Coordinates of all heavy atoms in Angstrom, one line a residue:
M2 N 84.4 116.4 102.4 CA 85.8 116.7 102.1 C 86.6 115.4 102.2 O 86.4 114.6 103.1 CB 86.3 117.7 103.1 CG 87.8 118.1 102.8 SD 88.5 119.1 104.1 CE 87.4 120.5 104.1
K3 N 87.4 115.2 101.2 CA 88.2 114.0 101.1 C 89.2 114.0 102.2 O 89.7 115.0 102.7 CB 88.9 113.9 99.8 CG 88.1 113.6 98.6 CD 88.9 113.3 97.4 CE 88.0 112.9 96.3 NZ 88.2 111.5 95.8
N4 N 89.5 112.7 102.7 CA 90.5 112.5 103.7 C 91.8 112.2 103.0 O 92.2 111.1 102.8 CB 90.1 111.4 104.6 CG 91.0 111.2 105.8 OD1 92.2 111.6 105.7 ND2 90.5 110.7 106.9
E5 N 92.5 113.3 102.6 CA 93.7 113.1 101.8 C 94.8 112.4 102.6 O 95.6 111.7 102.1 CB 94.3 114.5 101.4 CG 93.3 115.2 100.5 CD 93.1 114.6 99.1 OE1 94.0 113.8 98.7 OE2 92.1 114.9 98.4
R6 N 94.8 112.6 103.9 CA 95.8 111.9 104.8 C 95.7 110.4 104.8 O 96.6 109.6 104.7 CB 95.8 112.4 106.2 CG 96.3 113.9 106.3 CD 96.3 114.3 107.7 NE 96.9 115.7 107.8 CZ 97.0 116.3 108.9 NH1 96.5 115.8 110.1 NH2 97.5 117.5 109.0
L7 N 94.4 110.0 104.8 CA 94.1 108.5 104.8 C 94.5 108.0 103.4 O 95.1 106.9 103.3 CB 92.7 108.3 105.1 CG 92.2 106.8 105.0 CD1 93.0 105.9 105.9 CD2 90.7 106.7 105.3
I8 N 94.1 108.7 102.4 CA 94.4 108.2 101.0 C 95.9 108.1 100.8 O 96.4 107.1 100.3 CB 93.9 109.2 100.0 CG1 92.3 109.2 100.0 CG2 94.4 108.9 98.6 CD1 91.7 110.3 99.3
E9 N 96.7 109.1 101.2 CA 98.1 109.1 101.0 C 98.8 108.0 101.9 O 99.7 107.3 101.4 CB 98.7 110.5 101.4 CG 100.2 110.6 101.1 CD 100.6 110.4 99.7 OE1 99.8 110.7 98.7 OE2 101.7 109.8 99.4
A10 N 98.4 107.9 103.1 CA 98.9 106.8 104.0 C 98.7 105.4 103.4 O 99.6 104.6 103.5 CB 98.4 107.0 105.4
R11 N 97.5 105.2 102.9 CA 97.2 103.9 102.3 C 98.1 103.7 101.1 O 98.7 102.6 100.9 CB 95.7 103.9 101.9 CG 95.4 102.6 101.1 CD 93.9 102.5 100.7 NE 93.5 103.6 100.0 CZ 93.7 103.8 98.6 NH1 94.5 103.0 98.0 NH2 93.2 104.9 98.0
K12 N 98.3 104.7 100.2 CA 99.1 104.5 99.1 C 100.6 104.3 99.4 O 101.3 103.6 98.7 CB 99.0 105.8 98.2 CG 97.6 105.8 97.5 CD 97.5 107.0 96.6 CE 96.1 107.0 95.9 NZ 96.0 108.2 95.0
Q13 N 101.0 105.0 100.5 CA 102.4 104.8 100.9 C 102.7 103.3 101.3 O 103.8 102.9 101.2 CB 102.7 105.7 102.1 CG 102.9 107.2 101.7 CD 103.1 108.1 103.0 OE1 103.1 107.6 104.1 NE2 103.3 109.3 102.7
K14 N 101.7 102.6 101.8 CA 101.8 101.2 102.1 C 101.5 100.3 100.9 O 101.5 99.1 101.1 CB 100.8 100.9 103.3 CG 101.3 101.4 104.6 CD 102.5 100.7 105.1 CE 102.9 101.1 106.4 NZ 104.2 100.5 106.8
H15 N 101.3 100.9 99.8 CA 101.1 100.2 98.5 C 99.9 99.3 98.6 O 99.9 98.1 98.2 CB 102.3 99.4 98.1 CG 103.6 100.2 98.0 ND1 103.8 101.1 97.0 CD2 104.6 100.3 98.8 CE1 104.9 101.7 97.2 NE2 105.5 101.3 98.3
L16 N 98.8 99.8 99.3 CA 97.6 99.1 99.4 C 96.5 99.8 98.6 O 96.4 101.0 98.6 CB 97.1 99.1 100.9 CG 98.0 98.3 101.9 CD1 97.5 98.6 103.3 CD2 98.0 96.8 101.6
N17 N 95.6 99.0 98.0 CA 94.4 99.6 97.4 C 93.3 99.5 98.4 O 93.4 98.9 99.5 CB 94.1 98.9 96.0 CG 93.7 97.5 96.1 OD1 93.1 97.0 97.1 ND2 94.1 96.7 95.1
Q18 N 92.2 100.1 98.1 CA 91.1 100.2 99.0 C 90.6 98.8 99.4 O 90.3 98.5 100.5 CB 89.9 101.0 98.4 CG 90.2 102.4 98.3 CD 89.0 103.2 97.7 OE1 88.2 102.7 97.0 NE2 89.0 104.5 98.0
T19 N 90.5 97.9 98.4 CA 90.0 96.5 98.7 C 91.0 95.8 99.6 O 90.5 95.1 100.5 CB 89.9 95.7 97.3 OG1 89.0 96.4 96.5 CG2 89.4 94.3 97.6
Q20 N 92.3 95.9 99.4 CA 93.3 95.3 100.3 C 93.1 95.7 101.7 O 93.1 94.9 102.7 CB 94.7 95.5 99.8 CG 95.0 94.8 98.4 CD 96.3 95.2 97.8 OE1 96.6 96.4 97.8 NE2 97.0 94.3 97.3
L21 N 93.0 97.1 101.9 CA 92.9 97.6 103.2 C 91.6 97.1 103.9 O 91.6 96.7 105.0 CB 92.9 99.1 103.2 CG 92.7 99.8 104.6 CD1 93.8 99.3 105.6 CD2 92.8 101.3 104.4
A22 N 90.5 97.1 103.1 CA 89.2 96.6 103.6 C 89.3 95.2 104.1 O 88.8 94.8 105.2 CB 88.1 96.8 102.5
H23 N 90.0 94.3 103.3 CA 90.1 92.9 103.7 C 91.0 92.8 104.9 O 90.7 91.9 105.8 CB 90.7 92.1 102.5 CG 89.7 91.9 101.4 ND1 90.1 91.4 100.2 CD2 88.4 92.2 101.3 CE1 89.1 91.3 99.4 NE2 88.0 91.8 100.0
M24 N 92.0 93.6 105.1 CA 92.8 93.5 106.3 C 92.0 93.9 107.5 O 92.3 93.5 108.6 CB 94.0 94.5 106.1 CG 95.0 94.0 105.1 SD 96.3 95.2 104.8 CE 97.4 94.8 106.2
L25 N 91.0 94.7 107.3 CA 90.1 95.1 108.4 C 88.9 94.2 108.7 O 88.1 94.4 109.6 CB 89.6 96.6 108.2 CG 90.7 97.7 108.1 CD1 90.1 98.9 107.5 CD2 91.2 97.9 109.5
G26 N 88.8 93.2 107.8 CA 87.7 92.2 107.9 C 86.5 92.6 107.2 O 85.4 92.0 107.4
F27 N 86.5 93.6 106.3 CA 85.4 93.9 105.5 C 85.4 93.1 104.2 O 86.5 92.8 103.7 CB 85.4 95.4 105.1 CG 85.2 96.3 106.3 CD1 86.2 96.8 107.1 CD2 83.9 96.7 106.7 CE1 86.0 97.6 108.2 CE2 83.7 97.5 107.8 CZ 84.8 98.0 108.5
K28 N 84.3 92.9 103.6 CA 84.2 92.1 102.4 C 84.6 92.9 101.1 O 85.2 92.4 100.2 CB 82.8 91.6 102.2 CG 82.4 90.5 103.2 CD 81.0 89.9 102.9 CE 80.7 88.9 103.9 NZ 79.4 88.3 103.7
G29 N 84.2 94.2 101.1 CA 84.5 95.0 100.0 C 85.1 96.3 100.4 O 85.3 96.6 101.5
K30 N 85.4 97.1 99.3 CA 86.1 98.4 99.6 C 85.2 99.6 99.9 O 85.7 100.7 100.2 CB 86.9 98.7 98.3 CG 86.1 99.1 97.1 CD 86.9 99.5 96.0 CE 86.0 100.0 94.8 NZ 86.8 100.5 93.7
Q31 N 83.9 99.4 99.9 CA 82.9 100.5 100.1 C 83.2 101.3 101.3 O 83.1 102.6 101.3 CB 81.5 100.0 100.0 CG 80.5 101.1 99.9 CD 80.7 101.9 98.6 OE1 80.8 101.4 97.6 NE2 80.7 103.3 98.7
S32 N 83.4 100.7 102.5 CA 83.6 101.5 103.7 C 84.9 102.3 103.6 O 84.9 103.5 104.0 CB 83.8 100.5 104.9 OG 82.5 99.9 105.2
V33 N 86.0 101.7 103.1 CA 87.2 102.5 102.9 C 87.0 103.7 101.9 O 87.4 104.8 102.2 CB 88.4 101.6 102.4 CG1 89.6 102.4 102.1 CG2 88.7 100.5 103.4
A34 N 86.3 103.4 100.8 CA 86.0 104.5 99.9 C 85.2 105.6 100.6 O 85.4 106.8 100.4 CB 85.2 104.0 98.7
N35 N 84.2 105.2 101.4 CA 83.4 106.2 102.1 C 84.2 107.1 103.1 O 84.0 108.3 103.2 CB 82.2 105.6 102.8 CG 81.1 105.2 101.9 OD1 81.0 105.7 100.8 ND2 80.3 104.2 102.3
W36 N 85.1 106.4 103.8 CA 86.0 107.2 104.7 C 86.9 108.1 104.0 O 87.1 109.3 104.3 CB 86.9 106.2 105.5 CG 86.1 105.2 106.3 CD1 84.9 105.4 106.9 CD2 86.5 103.9 106.7 NE1 84.5 104.2 107.6 CE2 85.5 103.3 107.4 CE3 87.7 103.1 106.4 CZ2 85.6 102.0 107.9 CZ3 87.7 101.9 106.9 CH2 86.7 101.3 107.6
E37 N 87.5 107.6 102.9 CA 88.4 108.5 102.1 C 87.7 109.6 101.4 O 88.2 110.7 101.3 CB 89.1 107.6 101.0 CG 90.1 106.7 101.6 CD 90.9 105.9 100.6 OE1 90.7 106.1 99.4 OE2 91.8 105.2 101.0
N38 N 86.4 109.4 101.0 CA 85.7 110.5 100.3 C 84.9 111.4 101.3 O 84.3 112.4 100.9 CB 84.6 109.9 99.4 CG 85.3 109.3 98.1 OD1 86.3 109.9 97.6 ND2 84.9 108.1 97.7
G39 N 85.0 111.1 102.6 CA 84.4 112.0 103.6 C 82.9 111.7 103.8 O 82.3 112.6 104.5
H40 N 82.4 110.6 103.3 CA 81.0 110.3 103.5 C 80.7 109.8 104.8 O 79.5 109.8 105.3 CB 80.5 109.4 102.4 CG 80.7 109.9 101.0 ND1 80.1 111.1 100.6 CD2 81.3 109.4 99.9 CE1 80.4 111.4 99.3 NE2 81.1 110.4 98.9
S41 N 81.7 109.1 105.5 CA 81.5 108.6 106.8 C 82.8 108.5 107.5 O 83.8 108.8 106.9 CB 80.8 107.2 106.7 OG 81.7 106.3 106.1
T42 N 82.8 108.1 108.8 CA 84.0 107.9 109.6 C 84.0 106.6 110.2 O 82.9 106.0 110.5 CB 84.1 109.0 110.7 OG1 83.0 109.0 111.5 CG2 84.3 110.4 110.1
P43 N 85.1 106.0 110.4 CA 85.1 104.6 111.0 C 84.8 104.7 112.5 O 84.9 105.8 113.1 CB 86.6 104.2 110.8 CG 87.4 105.4 110.7 CD 86.5 106.4 110.1
T44 N 84.5 103.6 113.1 CA 84.4 103.5 114.6 C 85.8 103.7 115.1 O 86.8 103.5 114.4 CB 83.9 102.2 115.0 OG1 84.8 101.1 114.6 CG2 82.5 101.9 114.4
L45 N 85.9 104.0 116.4 CA 87.2 104.2 117.1 C 88.0 102.9 117.0 O 89.2 103.0 116.7 CB 87.0 104.6 118.5 CG 88.3 104.8 119.3 CD1 89.2 105.9 118.7 CD2 88.0 105.2 120.7
T46 N 87.4 101.8 117.2 CA 88.1 100.5 117.1 C 88.7 100.3 115.7 O 89.9 100.0 115.6 CB 87.2 99.4 117.4 OG1 86.6 99.6 118.8 CG2 87.9 98.0 117.4
T47 N 87.9 100.6 114.7 CA 88.4 100.4 113.3 C 89.5 101.5 113.0 O 90.5 101.2 112.3 CB 87.2 100.5 112.3 OG1 86.3 99.5 112.6 CG2 87.7 100.3 110.9
A48 N 89.3 102.7 113.5 CA 90.3 103.8 113.2 C 91.6 103.4 113.8 O 92.7 103.6 113.2 CB 89.8 105.1 113.8
I49 N 91.6 102.7 115.0 CA 92.9 102.3 115.6 C 93.5 101.2 114.8 O 94.7 101.2 114.6 CB 92.6 101.8 117.1 CG1 92.2 103.0 118.0 CG2 93.8 101.0 117.6 CD1 91.7 102.7 119.3
Q50 N 92.7 100.3 114.3 CA 93.2 99.2 113.4 C 93.9 99.8 112.2 O 94.9 99.4 111.7 CB 92.1 98.2 113.0 CG 91.6 97.4 114.1 CD 90.5 96.5 113.7 OE1 89.5 97.0 113.1 NE2 90.6 95.2 113.9
I51 N 93.2 100.8 111.6 CA 93.7 101.4 110.4 C 95.0 102.1 110.7 O 96.0 102.0 109.9 CB 92.7 102.5 109.8 CG1 91.4 101.8 109.3 CG2 93.3 103.3 108.7 CD1 90.3 102.7 109.1
A52 N 95.1 102.8 111.8 CA 96.3 103.5 112.2 C 97.5 102.5 112.4 O 98.6 102.8 112.0 CB 96.1 104.3 113.5
E53 N 97.2 101.4 113.0 CA 98.2 100.3 113.2 C 98.7 99.8 111.8 O 99.9 99.6 111.6 CB 97.7 99.2 114.1 CG 97.5 99.7 115.5 CD 96.9 98.6 116.4 OE1 96.4 97.6 115.9 OE2 96.8 98.8 117.6
I54 N 97.8 99.5 110.9 CA 98.1 98.9 109.6 C 99.0 100.0 108.8 O 100.0 99.6 108.2 CB 96.9 98.5 108.8 CG1 96.2 97.3 109.5 CG2 97.2 98.3 107.4 CD1 94.8 97.0 109.0
L55 N 98.5 101.2 108.9 CA 99.2 102.2 108.1 C 100.4 102.9 108.8 O 101.1 103.7 108.2 CB 98.2 103.3 107.6 CG 97.0 102.8 106.8 CD1 96.1 103.9 106.4 CD2 97.5 102.1 105.5
E56 N 100.6 102.5 110.1 CA 101.6 103.0 110.9 C 101.6 104.6 111.0 O 102.6 105.3 110.8 CB 103.0 102.6 110.4 CG 103.2 101.1 110.4 CD 104.5 100.5 109.9 OE1 105.3 101.3 109.4 OE2 104.7 99.3 110.1
K57 N 100.4 105.1 111.3 CA 100.2 106.5 111.4 C 99.3 106.7 112.7 O 98.7 105.8 113.2 CB 99.4 107.1 110.3 CG 100.1 107.0 108.9 CD 101.2 107.9 108.8 CE 101.9 107.8 107.4 NZ 103.1 108.6 107.3
D58 N 99.3 107.9 113.2 CA 98.6 108.2 114.4 C 97.1 108.4 114.0 O 96.8 108.9 113.0 CB 99.1 109.5 115.0 CG 98.5 109.9 116.3 OD1 98.9 109.4 117.3 OD2 97.5 110.6 116.3
V59 N 96.2 107.9 114.9 CA 94.7 108.0 114.7 C 94.4 109.5 114.4 O 93.6 109.8 113.5 CB 93.9 107.4 115.8 CG1 92.4 107.7 115.6 CG2 94.2 105.9 115.9
I60 N 94.9 110.4 115.3 CA 94.5 111.8 115.2 C 95.0 112.4 113.9 O 94.4 113.2 113.2 CB 95.1 112.6 116.4 CG1 94.6 112.1 117.7 CG2 94.9 114.1 116.2 CD1 93.1 112.2 117.9
F61 N 96.2 111.9 113.4 CA 96.7 112.4 112.1 C 95.8 112.0 111.0 O 95.5 112.8 110.1 CB 98.1 111.8 111.9 CG 98.7 112.1 110.5 CD1 99.3 113.3 110.2 CD2 98.6 111.1 109.5 CE1 99.8 113.5 108.9 CE2 99.1 111.3 108.2 CZ 99.7 112.6 107.9
L62 N 95.3 110.7 111.0 CA 94.5 110.2 110.0 C 93.0 110.8 110.0 O 92.5 111.1 109.0 CB 94.4 108.7 110.0 CG 95.7 108.0 109.7 CD1 95.5 106.5 109.9 CD2 96.1 108.2 108.2
F63 N 92.5 110.9 111.2 CA 91.0 111.2 111.3 C 90.7 112.5 112.1 O 89.5 112.8 112.3 CB 90.3 110.0 111.9 CG 90.4 108.8 111.1 CD1 91.2 107.8 111.5 CD2 89.7 108.7 109.9 CE1 91.4 106.6 110.7 CE2 89.9 107.5 109.1 CZ 90.7 106.5 109.5
G64 N 91.7 113.1 112.7 CA 91.4 114.2 113.6 C 90.7 113.7 114.8 O 91.0 112.6 115.3
H65 N 89.7 114.4 115.2 CA 88.9 114.0 116.4 C 87.5 113.5 115.9 O 86.6 113.4 116.7 CB 88.7 115.2 117.4 CG 90.0 115.5 118.0 ND1 90.6 114.8 119.0 CD2 90.8 116.6 117.8 CE1 91.7 115.4 119.4 NE2 91.9 116.4 118.7
K66 N 87.4 113.1 114.6 CA 86.2 112.7 114.1 C 86.2 111.2 113.8 O 86.5 110.8 112.7 CB 85.8 113.5 112.8 CG 85.6 114.9 113.1 CD 85.1 115.6 111.9 CE 84.7 117.1 112.2 NZ 84.1 117.7 111.1
V67 N 85.8 110.4 114.8 CA 85.6 109.0 114.7 C 84.3 108.7 115.4 O 83.9 109.4 116.2 CB 86.8 108.1 115.2 CG1 88.0 108.4 114.4 CG2 87.0 108.4 116.7
Q68 N 83.7 107.5 115.1 CA 82.5 107.1 115.7 C 82.8 106.3 117.0 O 83.7 105.5 117.0 CB 81.7 106.3 114.8 CG 81.2 107.0 113.5 CD 80.5 106.0 112.6 OE1 79.9 105.1 113.1 NE2 80.5 106.3 111.3
D69 N 82.0 106.6 118.0 CA 82.1 105.8 119.2 C 81.2 104.5 119.1 O 81.2 103.7 119.9 CB 81.9 106.5 120.5 CG 80.5 107.1 120.6 OD1 79.7 106.9 119.7 OD2 80.2 107.7 121.7
S70 N 80.3 104.5 118.1 CA 79.5 103.4 117.8 C 79.3 103.4 116.3 O 79.8 104.2 115.6 CB 78.2 103.4 118.5 OG 77.4 104.5 118.0
Q71 N 78.4 102.5 115.8 CA 78.1 102.5 114.4 C 77.3 103.6 113.9 O 77.2 103.9 112.7 CB 77.4 101.1 114.0 CG 78.3 99.9 114.1 CD 79.5 99.9 113.1 OE1 79.4 100.5 112.1 NE2 80.6 99.3 113.5
T72 N 76.7 104.4 114.8 CA 75.7 105.4 114.4 C 76.0 106.8 114.9 O 75.4 107.7 114.4 CB 74.3 105.0 114.9 OG1 74.3 104.9 116.3 CG2 73.8 103.7 114.2
K73 N 76.9 107.0 115.8 CA 77.1 108.3 116.4 C 78.5 108.8 116.2 O 79.5 108.1 116.5 CB 76.8 108.2 117.9 CG 76.9 109.5 118.6 CD 76.6 109.4 120.1 CE 76.8 110.6 120.8 NZ 76.7 110.4 122.3
D74 N 78.7 110.0 115.7 CA 80.0 110.6 115.5 C 80.4 111.3 116.8 O 79.7 111.9 117.6 CB 80.0 111.7 114.5 CG 79.9 111.2 113.1 OD1 80.3 110.0 112.9 OD2 79.5 111.9 112.1
V75 N 81.7 111.2 117.1 CA 82.3 111.9 118.2 C 83.1 113.0 117.6 O 83.9 112.8 116.7 CB 83.3 110.9 119.0 CG1 84.0 111.7 120.1 CG2 82.5 109.8 119.6
V76 N 82.9 114.2 118.1 CA 83.6 115.4 117.6 C 84.5 116.0 118.7 O 84.3 116.0 119.8 CB 82.6 116.4 117.1 CG1 83.3 117.6 116.6 CG2 81.7 115.8 116.1

């Protein structure tokens, strides 16, 4: 399921996926696209960075679904 809140928050800041990815230290937009399309979730650290950049609450953007590491989801 798409993360419409993340998509809308990014657009409200007039950022494209690549710009947001670069602000987070990623080389390309693939991770952002995966989060927005619901294929994966960011780590908690990255989710906090996204929330700060987009000026939104982590829970608003991701609910309780963020990773506590690169491989495990926290629900």
Side-chain angles (χ1 to χ4, degrees):
M2 180 184 308
K3 285 191 179 241
N4 186 335
E5 298 293 342
R6 290 180 176 181
L7 177 57
I8 295 166
E9 185 59 32
R11 176 180 54 76
K12 289 180 178 180
Q13 286 176 356
K14 287 292 184 181
H15 306 287
L16 296 171
N17 62 38
Q18 291 177 338
T19 302
Q20 291 168 320
L21 179 56
H23 288 172
M24 293 174 81
L25 295 166
F27 292 90
K28 290 184 180 179
K30 68 177 186 176
Q31 191 60 49
S32 291
V33 175
N35 284 338
W36 303 328
E37 289 185 356
N38 288 317
H40 298 305
S41 66
T42 56
T44 63
L45 179 57
T46 302
T47 302
I49 291 169
Q50 289 178 306
I51 294 167
E53 289 174 352
I54 291 168
L55 301 181
E56 297 179 355
K57 299 289 183 186
D58 187 84
V59 172
I60 301 298
F61 173 80
L62 292 173
F63 301 104
H65 293 284
K66 294 188 176 189
V67 295
Q68 296 179 25
D69 63 358
S70 69
Q71 291 294 333
T72 58
K73 183 179 174 189
D74 285 338
V75 174
V76 181

